[in-house]
Amino acid sequence: MDIMGSRRMDRFATSVFSELAHYKRAKKREGLDLIDLSVGSPDLPPPTLMMEELKNSVLNPSQYGYTLGGIDLFHEAVAAYYESRFGVHLDPEQEVISLMGSQDGLVHLPMAFVNPEDLVIVPDPGYPAYETGAYMAGAEVYRLPLKRENRFLPDLGEIPTEVVHRAKMIYLNFPGNPVPALATREFFAELIRFAKKYEIIVVHDFAYSELIFDGKKGVSFLSVEGAKEVGVEFNSLSKSFNFAGARVAYLVGNEKIIQTFKRLKSNIDYGIFMPIQRAAARALKEGSSFLENNARIYEKRRDLLIDGLARVGWKIDKPPATMFVWAKIPEGWSSREFTYALIDQAGVIVTPGDGFGPNGEGYVRIGLVQPEEELLRAVERIERSGVLGKKTISI
Ligand SMILES: Cc1ncc(COP(=O)(O)O)c(C=O)c1O
């Protein structure tokens, strides 16, 4: 039998990421010692209190039922955390929905709101799940450029008229992956005016809300007046609490959006394992000192890497947030050529910027996902490889 994927699957042809993963595996098999700075998975452990809560709950036989739309304990902890951390008041029953990681929500949300003739506006460069969601719902995307000269904030006035009239949703992400830019309250206020004028749902992905440096604090989209009328915000425990493999996140904000999405989700899954929700609730309630400490670790890694690379001749903007560095590559290379040269000649793996959209060309993303000594080793290897000096290979 000839088994064919659906036409939809044509959208999910082999990506830069799987190509890179394949290359990485092949190099590892060859025995190459690689320093992997390409993944976005935290290398640090979650707080002990979370693991303890998880362990105790796992041993409790009453914790194994379906949890459907989520347990009150978790929804209440999310609401309390948003109130104390961002000054945002949420009704835990109506304005919060739990998710199996924000990825679960990001890719499913458009199915609840867009039709095939609609457009979804996504940042370029941007986190790939935003496009995936639009495609899974059968809609098209419009890529909104994020440019360095505009501090990587989009210019909403630049979006063509025919696009704003067809757009049903806009996805944005501050601090962002791969571009670790921060939004201002003024930008969010402008976004709310734009959304109201053209009736576009705003989806703000706040996955890196707790990884912000230099004494700054992230702005929750929902903390800006009028935001709840037009949109929702994703947040996750994956990066804040190093809990990525446990899969727990949430969507908060506009009640109509949350309730409509809940209806869709009730047709997709039966909820998150109860012990995971209990551990997450505990972390949200008691984890503030862990959050401070975790951010300091990434901040120190950032300084070490950026200062180290500057010493060997690669000057990169210091990111104000996240676990990533968005690095402009030396002249004469494409993002992919430079990435493969780094692997082959320095044994350091980064992610080529064009994997995040055409405007990512000319950049690579470097993850701060290794201990300080490994980052220093990566700097040394990059210096010794000579890739910063001249272009020596092309692919
Ligand atoms: C911007 C952004 N949003 C969402 C996610 C997905 O996170 P989660 O583990 O909550 O699905 C990631 C993961 O790397 C991310 O970088």
Side-chain angles (χ1 to χ4, degrees):
M1 185 168 88
D2 192 13
I3 298 184
M4 298 277 291
S6 64
R7 277 193 299 279
R8 185 177 302 108
M9 287 309 292
D10 297 344
R11 293 284 194 186
F12 308 119
T14 316
S15 68
V16 178
F17 304 103
S18 37
E19 196 185 284
L20 187 68
H22 185 73
Y23 197 70
K24 194 159 84 178
R25 270 197 305 278
K27 289 286 160 184
K28 274 191 184 149
R29 269 200 303 273
E30 282 171 24
L32 207 68
D33 169 28
L34 297 167
I35 302 175
D36 193 350
L37 307 179
S38 67
V39 292
S41 188
D43 61 311
L44 295 157
T48 309
L49 63 88
M50 261 183 128
M51 293 190 285
E52 263 166 13
E53 184 67 48
L54 196 55
K55 183 181 85 179
N56 294 337
S57 302
V58 160
L59 292 173
N60 179 346
S62 72
Q63 300 291 296
Y64 286 81
Y66 290 130
T67 63
L68 305 175
I71 59 173
D72 292 347
L73 181 82
F74 177 62
H75 291 176
E76 282 157 15
V78 167
Y81 163 80
Y82 252 69
E83 184 92 58
S84 69
R85 201 78 183 163
F86 308 113
V88 172
H89 179 74
L90 296 168
D91 175 342
E93 261 184 43
Q94 304 300 325
E95 296 177 332
V96 181
I97 174 170
S98 48
L99 301 168
M100 295 168 170
S102 26
Q103 190 85 0
D104 165 21
L106 291 168
V107 302
H108 287 133
L109 191 64
M111 269 187 213
F113 296 99
V114 305
N115 293 309
E117 66 275 18
D118 295 329
L119 276 178
V120 178
I121 301 175
V122 299
D124 171 15
Y127 185 61
Y130 312 147
E131 282 198 11
T132 304
Y135 295 149
M136 277 173 57
E140 292 294 320
V141 300
Y142 173 80
R143 297 195 180 110
L144 182 59
L146 304 183
K147 296 181 188 145
R148 184 167 181 261
E149 59 268 28
N150 201 20
R151 288 177 299 122
F152 294 109
L153 289 175
D155 181 352
L156 301 174
E158 214 181 56
I159 307 174
T161 317
E162 63 277 16
V163 170
V164 286
H165 290 298
R166 269 182 70 197
K168 190 76 189 286
M169 303 173 88
I170 179 168
Y171 275 79
L172 287 171
N173 167 219
F174 299 104
N177 170 20
V179 184
L182 295 175
T184 57
R185 301 189 73 79
E186 294 70 35
F187 171 74
F188 278 147
E190 183 195 341
L191 178 64
I192 292 164
R193 284 194 295 276
F194 167 83
K196 280 186 182 164
K197 180 168 176 192
Y198 297 108
E199 304 202 322
I200 299 173
I201 293 171
V202 175
V203 181
H204 182 236
D205 180 1
F206 205 25
Y208 296 94
S209 66
E210 298 295 348
L211 294 184
I212 301 181
F213 314 138
D214 308 312
K216 295 203 181 94
K217 205 164 171 273
V219 181
S220 161
F221 169 67
L222 295 178
S223 70
V224 178
E225 205 186 322
K228 251 199 223 174
E229 287 170 51
V230 298
V232 281
E233 187 161 84
F234 281 99
N235 210 324
S236 169
L237 283 90
S238 293
K239 316 290 168 144
S240 315
F241 291 103
N242 301 329
F243 212 48
R247 315 307 297 136
V248 57
Y250 48 92
L251 180 66
V252 291
N254 182 283
E255 182 178 334
K256 186 95 188 281
I257 298 175
I258 299 289
Q259 293 309 316
T260 307
F261 190 46
K262 231 180 221 176
R263 193 146 51 88
L264 175 73
K265 282 276 290 170
S266 71
N267 286 278
I268 296 177
D269 64 68
Y270 285 151
I272 307 163
F273 186 36
M274 196 121 49
I276 290 175
Q277 293 190 61
R278 298 185 80 88
R282 178 114 189 253
L284 290 170
K285 281 192 222 153
E286 298 171 40
S288 61
S289 61
F290 176 89
L291 294 174
E292 299 292 326
N293 205 30
N294 205 39
R296 294 298 79 77
I297 294 173
Y298 282 107
E299 185 175 340
K300 223 163 142 227
R301 288 179 177 182
R302 171 203 67 173
D303 291 343
L304 207 80
L305 185 74
I306 298 275
D307 296 346
L309 289 174
R311 260 195 319 275
V312 303
W314 191 4
K315 300 216 170 5
I316 299 167
D317 293 338
K318 233 180 208 189
T322 80
M323 56 205 292
F324 303 111
V325 170
W326 186 236
K328 190 144 186 52
I329 60 175
E331 291 297 321
W333 299 91
S334 73
S335 294
R336 277 191 220 192
E337 284 173 340
F338 188 69
T339 300
Y340 284 104
L342 276 185
I343 298 177
D344 292 338
Q345 296 172 38
V348 174
I349 315 178
V350 299
T351 311
D354 64 318
F356 301 97
N359 276 292
E361 183 50 74
Y363 288 84
V364 291
R365 189 192 74 176
I366 311 176
L368 300 167
V369 288
Q370 297 278 354
E372 291 177 17
E373 51 288 5
E374 282 299 282
L375 295 176
L376 285 175
R377 216 156 67 86
V379 171
E380 264 170 43
R381 283 180 172 200
I382 291 171
E383 181 184 22
R384 261 190 288 122
S385 72
V387 286
L388 298 175
K390 58 182 188 329
K391 185 173 168 181
T392 51
I393 65 154
S394 64
I395 287 187

